[in-house]
């Protein structure tokens, strides 16, 4: 069906979002039409504000509205550990669990030769400079995703950092809490066995 141009443009705009196909974008566009005009205005202002007002922290690469993010400014956090993640959204997921109180570093992605992403395209140089300038850091925890590119990135970082005498660890991978072994795939079981710990 041919919709009027404004709705067609709105559908196309929603389809720019990851994981949003034509059907979902159409539902979202028509829902937007039912929203109160003030809510739509606030929604559009929030989109522009997020795009215009956010920047990368000059220390860790997290999103912030200031030069440095609130985590880097928080002196009560454990200054001896830095947890390396792919994206700022990973910081939010880890920090929300309240099980880690150290610092973070955002790479901005992972090494992916197929996609043309090399070390120069990531915040690796910033990380190395940070480690060089901060002797308080004793451990680098690599929390890239358990994908081939995430694993390659973790190995690359370990190779760069270990010679400096900093302990390099990797998040454990394996069975989820409450899962049954019989339903786990081979790669998950292998990771669980390799990441075992003493009890």
């Amino acid at each position: 069906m041919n919709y009027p141009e404004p709705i067609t443009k709105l559908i196309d705009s929603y389809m720019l979002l990851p994981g949003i196909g034509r059907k979902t974008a159409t539902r979202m566009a028509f829902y937007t039409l039912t929203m109160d005009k003030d809510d739509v205005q606030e929604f559009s202002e929030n989109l522009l504000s997020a795009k215009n007002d956010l920047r990368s922290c000059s220390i860790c690469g997290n999103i912030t509205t200031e030069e440095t993010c609130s985590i880097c400014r928080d002196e009560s956090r454990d200054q001896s550990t830095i947890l390396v993640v792919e994206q700022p959204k990973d910081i939010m997921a880890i920090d929300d669990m309240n099980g880690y109180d150290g610092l973070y570093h955002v790479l901005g992605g992972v090494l992916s030769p197929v996609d043309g992403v090399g070390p120069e395209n990531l915040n690796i140089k910033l990380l190395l400079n940070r480690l060089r300038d901060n002797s308080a850091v004793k451990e680098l925890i690599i929390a890239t995703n358990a994908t081939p590119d995430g694993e390659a990135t973790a190995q690359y970082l370990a190779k760069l950092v270990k010679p400096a005498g900093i302990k390099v660890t990797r998040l454990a991978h394996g069975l989820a809490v409450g899962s049954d072994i019989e339903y786990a795939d081979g790669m998950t079981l292998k990771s669980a066995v390799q990441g075992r710990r003493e009890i």
Side-chain angles (χ1 to χ4, degrees):
M1 175 175 190
N2 291 331
Y3 295 118
E5 186 177 355
I7 195 76
T8 301
K9 286 183 175 181
L10 185 57
I11 291 168
D12 291 343
S13 293
Y14 279 125
M15 286 177 59
L16 294 172
L17 298 172
I20 304 295
R22 180 158 298 283
K23 283 185 179 183
T24 301
T26 301
R27 280 194 297 274
M28 292 170 73
F30 277 94
Y31 179 78
T32 304
L33 293 178
T34 68
M35 292 171 62
D36 183 73
K37 187 174 182 177
D38 290 339
D39 291 339
V40 174
Q41 181 68 35
E42 183 180 0
F43 182 71
S44 65
E45 288 171 4
N46 290 340
L47 285 172
L48 288 171
S49 175
K51 187 65 179 169
N52 295 331
D53 299 340
L54 292 174
R55 60 190 296 179
S56 293
C57 173
S58 62
I59 297 173
C60 74
N62 191 13
I63 54 173
T64 181
T65 56
E66 301 177 35
E67 178 71 19
T68 56
C69 71
S70 59
I71 294 173
C72 287
R73 290 192 310 268
D74 186 351
E75 293 180 9
S76 69
R77 294 189 77 100
D78 180 0
Q79 305 290 309
S80 69
T81 60
I82 296 178
L83 194 145
V84 178
V85 296
E86 293 180 19
Q87 301 294 341
K89 63 183 177 181
D90 302 325
I91 290 178
M92 294 175 192
I94 293 170
D95 226 43
D96 283 349
M97 72 174 181
N98 295 319
Y100 174 74
D101 68 344
L103 303 174
Y104 293 95
H105 189 84
V106 179
L107 292 174
V110 289
L111 297 173
S112 179
V114 172
D115 296 321
V117 180
E120 67 281 356
N121 303 114
L122 303 176
N123 289 330
I124 293 175
K125 186 175 182 182
L126 183 63
L127 174 63
L128 297 177
N129 289 342
R130 190 174 174 195
L131 294 173
R132 184 194 67 222
D133 297 341
N134 186 352
S135 61
V137 178
K138 303 298 180 207
E139 181 180 5
L140 187 72
I141 305 166
I142 301 175
T144 53
N145 290 323
T147 61
D149 290 340
E151 292 296 331
T153 304
Q155 293 301 318
Y156 180 80
L157 290 175
K159 187 189 282 188
L160 291 177
V161 174
K162 278 186 177 181
I166 296 171
K167 179 180 180 182
V168 179
T169 58
R170 180 93 167 100
L171 284 189
H173 301 288
L175 297 172
V177 174
S179 64
D180 291 329
I181 291 175
E182 67 179 300
Y183 299 117
D185 64 273
M187 186 61 111
T188 300
L189 287 174
K190 181 179 178 183
S191 294
V193 170
Q194 291 174 341
R196 68 190 184 280
R197 60 184 171 86
E198 188 173 338
I199 56 172

